[in-house]
Amino acid sequence: MNRRRFLGIGASVLGAGALAAVAAPSAARLLAEGRPGQLLSSELDLPGAFRTALPLPPVLRPVRTDATGDHYEITQQVATLEILPGVKTEAWTYGGGFPGPTLVARSGRAAVVRHRNELPVPTTTHLHGGHTPADSDGYPVDLLLPVGTSDDDARRMADIADMAGMPGMAGMPGMRHAAGRNVTGERTYTYPGKQRAATLWYHDHRMGFTGPAVWRGLAGFHLVHDDEEAALPLPHGERDLPLMIADRSFAADGSFRYPAVDPDLGEPGVTDAYANGVLGDVILVNGAPWPRLDVDRVRYRLRLLNASNTRLYRLELDPQPTGGDALVQIGSDGGLLAAPVRHDGIEIAPAERFDVVVDFARYAPGTEVRLVNRFGSGRTAEVMRFDVTARQVTDDATVPDRLATVEALDASAAVATRDFAFRRSRGDGWTINGRLYEPGRNIATPALDEVELWRFSSDLHHPVHVHLNQFQVIGRNGEDPGPYDAGWKDTVDLRPAEAVEVLVRFTDYAGVYMLHCHNLEHEDMAMMADFTVR
């Protein structure tokens, strides 16, 4: 993409007047550095940092296994948790905890998960990063209604146009089709496991209400392992740590504070001040505020997940080890990289994952190593702390110079080029190519096994997520990919007034899938689109 082409895309996204304003150096700098969201302050006293031990979500055990797969059961339920010390918080949970239990799957074996909904609201569960048949992808209007829902209530909940409150959607054929896939009480999702080792996660995906549902606790890890990964001498066992980073705010009574237009969630959306996203003032890691962890002087694998609704992070270790390169990236959204990439810090947008290795042998015993957020201020500049012990232990892990075989998609093989502009509407929503989301209306119809070039462009900050298959970033603003674009991605961070090109190829499963912004407030305010793989 040359400069002229980028400016043409920019004009279509921002409008000529806005693009001219961006040309001013100060405006350009503001857009380049601008980050979304409005801070929502907690109404109670917050605990001090590094007083809580880092919890690890329990690993979910299968209820049965067979020759081809493992079967799991998860109950979605209200639970009272002690997230802040001495404070009770009512949460919506998978299995009674936040985060939900971790599913550990094996490539080539199916994971079959039966969800039972005992919450007061409908849900739909999406395996983020999963290579999943369409009927198990968590389409936002394929509702799992609560246990005991009456026929009258089921009909009311199936009126998606009223429930979601999005304009121009009543009576659409796609809506009626989607409503017919609602079920009450329990739903089974099948994940065939036809994908490489990767750090995935699952979360609620109900249309219009993903933001408040995830904010209240509906998120968990789903890890996939394979033989290629197992053959490498990477940190494993207790030195392989999934870290779900999420910001939240709390009301005076200890409940999660969220600026919903309707506190009862009968109508979607947030109050006007938070239309560009909600930022909390408490940083949680695996559901604990600013936790700490004792670490030995060995290598650890940190599976970093940004599960925040809106907040962007620049994660660094403080102090940096002598020589820098503290974070050795070995994996991205879609699994292992071909070779490690070394960073002093990592910028991570909502829904992105970075697998990194940290060698704590580079620190003296007794060093307190903070994981900090350079994009934060005050309390949100702290994430967690690692306390380096003096224990004498053996480190059998290394990071090889070659990690995995990663196929490179060929841009010359692309059979189609598609443009997707992400921008704020003149009304109350967020749009893709100028239109609010309507279930059943296609924005693209890619064919199975064909390579396509997709261009994403932005007005403001948008982390763009594509369902079904990962993609490869091949350029930003007509130049090379950025330092955090390596490997297979399913979410790419678009900065303000930016254009990104990716190559994508959809495989195995035909059907309706989604493309959307993963700023959850943008998503809930209609920044989504369907595409049909044929």
Side-chain angles (χ1 to χ4, degrees), residues 36-42 46 215 247-249 257 259 273-274 276-283 310-311 377-380:
Q38 176 73 24
L39 183 66
L40 180 67
S41 297
S42 294
L46 300 180
W215 190 271
D247 60 336
R248 297 292 185 267
S249 299
R257 190 180 182 209
Y274 298 92
N276 197 22
V278 184
L279 304 176
D281 59 358
V282 178
I283 305 299
T310 299
R311 185 177 290 279
S377 61
R379 300 301 304 277
T380 64

Side-chain angles (χ1 to χ4, degrees), residues 118-130:
E118 296 183 359
L119 295 168
V121 297
T123 63
T124 182
T125 303
H126 171 56
L127 177 58
H128 187 115

